[in-house]
Amino acid sequence: MAFDFYMPDIGEGVVEGEIVAWKVKVGDTVALDQPLVEVMTDKATVELPSPRAGKIVRIHFQDGQIAPVGKVLVEIDDGNSGAKAAPPPAAGHHGVAATSRQSGAHPAIVAQTGTNGAIHVIDATAQRARVLATPATRRLARQMGVEIGRVPATGRNGRVTTEDVKRFQSTGAVTARETVPHASAPASIGQPGREERVPLRGMRRKIAESMARSVHTAAHFTYVEEIDMTELVSVRERAKARAAERGVKLNYLPFIVKAVVSGLKKWPQLNASLDEATQEIVRKRYYHIGIAAQGPHGLAVSVVRDADHRSIFDLSKEIDRLGEAVRTGAATRDELTGSTFTISSLGKLGGVLATPIINFPEVAILGVHKIEERPAVRGGQIVARHLMNLSISVDHRLADGWDGAMFLQDVKSLLEDPTTMFMEMV
C-alpha cells in the first residue's frame, strides 16, 4: 500500500504552502531524503526531502497550487503492505493536539529545521495544536485576510466556523495576508500575440500578498529628512583601507544600521509589533535588523541578528554574506524571518524620495536614498556637501508622528557627526 506524505508543519504560523516545483514525477523511484518538491510559505522557500524510499504513485498538488498543512502531497509506494500513514494530529477541544495515530499506521510526518536552516522531514507523533476548520471556512478566511489560527472557536470540539471568521473580521483584527479585492479581467485591446500572461505565483505572489496585507492593515505615514553625510563620507574613506585588510568591502549601510539601533533604543515603540489577538503592543528588547534587497525572484528581507552587539566591520561582513545568500537563492528560513525593524536601500539607485511599505508586522521601515554632492548653505556660504534623504514609514496605530520624526532626528545627528555614533557603540 502506498505511503501518504502529508504537507508538513514547516514552521510557526505556517498553515499552507505553494508548490513551486516538483523534483520528481509519477513513476520515478526515489531514495530516502531525496529532494521531492520546493514549497514556498509566508516565511521562505524550502525543499522537502522524501521520508521514504520507493516509487512515486500519485502527486496531489501541481506547480502553483496551494497545499494546506495536513493534506496529502504525494503517495509513495515503499513496499510496505501495512496501513497508510495517519494524517498529522488535529487540535482537540482545549487546543491540545489530539492524536490520530492508529495501530499499524505510520507516524505523522512533520518537518524540522536544522541548525543550518535546512528542512528535515521526519516521522513523528508530536503533540501540536492545529486549527479545526472545514476547507470552506479556511477558504473564506483566506479571502477575508483572516489568520484562522487567531480566530476564537465556538464550534463543536473547538472547530472554527464561518461565523467565527466573519465575527473576527468584523472586529478589524485582521492579521493574515490581505487579499486584493476581486476585479474583472482587464479587457485586451492589443493585437493577438502581442500580449503575454505570466502566472502570479511563487515569490511574486508572496510579495503581492505581503504588501497588500501591510497596506490594508497598518496606518502608514511617512516622514522625510535630509542628512548631511559629508563627515561620514570622509570617515568611510579613511576606514576603507583598514577594512580591506580584514577582507571587508565597507559601504555606508553598517553605519546606518548602527545609527538606527541607537535610535531604536531611545524610541522602543518603533522596535515593536502588535499582537492582534491579545491587543498588546510587543516591544522588542533585541535588535534584529532586516535588510530589504532584490533577489533572483523578487524582494527579500534578510535579517542581521543582534545588530547592537556587532562592530561596523562585523556588520559589513554579515550584510554582505546575507546579500550573497539572497542573490544566489541560498538564504535559509531563519535568515529571512524574525526582523524587528527593516531598512530598505537601493544603494546608488536609491533615488531622491520614496515611501516604503512597512514590513508587516513591524512598526516602521527606513528608506535609504542615494548620496549626492549638492549645494548647501553653511555659515552663510554656498558650499558643496554630500547630501542624502532618509524616509521613514510608521504604523500610526502604534506610534505618533512625533515618535517617527524624533527617531529620524536622532539617526540624523549620529550620521552627521560619526564621532557621537562611535561614543554610543556597545
Side-chain angles (χ1 to χ4, degrees), residues 105-411:
H106 293 293
I109 301 299
V110 299
Q112 288 187 346
T113 304
T115 55
N116 62 351
I119 295 294
H120 306 286
V121 177
I122 62 171
D123 288 345
T125 52
Q127 300 294 306
R128 59 169 39 87
R130 292 278 317 289
V131 177
L132 281 176
T134 65
T137 300
R138 293 180 185 277
R139 188 180 308 112
L140 175 65
R142 288 196 297 269
Q143 292 172 348
M144 300 180 83
V146 171
E147 185 178 338
I148 198 167
R150 296 183 179 273
V151 178
T154 63
R156 185 177 180 182
N157 295 325
R159 185 178 298 275
V160 176
T161 67
T162 56
E163 288 73 21
D164 294 334
V165 172
K166 293 176 181 177
R167 187 181 308 110
F168 186 79
Q169 194 272 346
S170 66
T171 66
V174 179
T175 60
R177 64 172 191 236
E178 296 288 341
T179 56
V180 178
H182 292 292
S184 57
S188 176
I189 59 175
Q191 296 179 3
R194 299 184 66 181
E195 292 182 345
E196 179 184 9
R197 290 179 176 262
V198 179
L200 181 61
R201 63 173 55 163
M203 179 64 77
R204 191 72 259 166
R205 177 155 68 183
K206 291 301 179 186
I207 293 172
E209 291 170 351
S210 178
M211 294 298 100
R213 175 179 58 182
S214 180
V215 169
H216 294 157
T217 304
H220 284 63
F221 77 86
T222 301
Y223 175 82
V224 183
E225 184 57 85
E226 183 180 71
I227 314 296
D228 189 338
M229 297 284 283
T230 306
E231 295 300 323
L232 188 55
V233 168
S234 177
V235 168
R236 172 180 172 267
E237 284 299 320
R238 295 198 301 271
K240 282 172 62 176
R242 179 167 295 185
E245 293 174 358
R246 303 187 183 189
V248 176
K249 186 177 180 180
L250 188 62
N251 59 30
Y252 297 103
L253 200 49
F255 296 97
I256 295 172
V257 170
K258 273 297 184 185
V260 162
V261 169
S262 179
L264 292 176
K265 288 182 177 180
K266 294 180 181 178
W267 302 94
Q269 56 269 50
L270 299 183
N271 195 57
S273 62
L274 176 63
D275 188 327
E276 298 274 4
T278 62
Q279 288 297 290
E280 294 176 323
I281 299 174
V282 183
R283 293 185 177 178
K284 316 296 175 62
R285 294 175 180 168
Y286 49 93
Y287 302 90
H288 298 340
I289 305 300
I291 306 295
Q294 192 69 17
H297 304 295
L299 183 68
V301 178
S302 56
V303 182
V304 179
R305 299 191 182 277
D306 298 314
D308 56 323
H309 294 156
R310 296 177 182 269
S311 69
I312 293 291
F313 287 170
D314 188 25
L315 281 172
S316 187
K317 286 183 178 180
E318 182 67 358
I319 291 170
D320 285 347
R321 184 189 71 79
L322 291 170
E324 181 63 21
V326 168
R327 283 189 292 273
T328 60
T332 67
R333 180 167 63 91
D334 288 343
E335 292 171 335
L336 297 174
T337 57
S339 57
T340 62
F341 182 97
T342 296
I343 297 173
S344 178
S345 173
L346 285 176
K348 294 180 180 179
L349 300 177
V352 176
L353 175 64
T355 56
I357 297 175
I358 296 168
N359 184 22
F360 189 85
E362 294 167 19
V363 173
I365 182 172
L366 184 73
V368 178
H369 308 290
K370 66 181 177 181
I371 300 173
E372 191 173 50
E373 197 170 24
R374 300 198 299 265
V377 178
R378 297 291 184 270
Q381 302 294 319
I382 298 178
V383 294
R385 305 291 287 183
H386 292 277
L387 303 178
M388 174 187 72
N389 289 339
L390 291 179
S391 57
I392 184 170
S393 292
V394 179
D395 187 346
H396 218 323
R397 299 177 305 164
L398 308 181
D400 297 325
W402 170 265
D403 302 325
M406 292 307 296
F407 164 81
L408 201 51
Q409 288 299 323
D410 282 335
V411 172

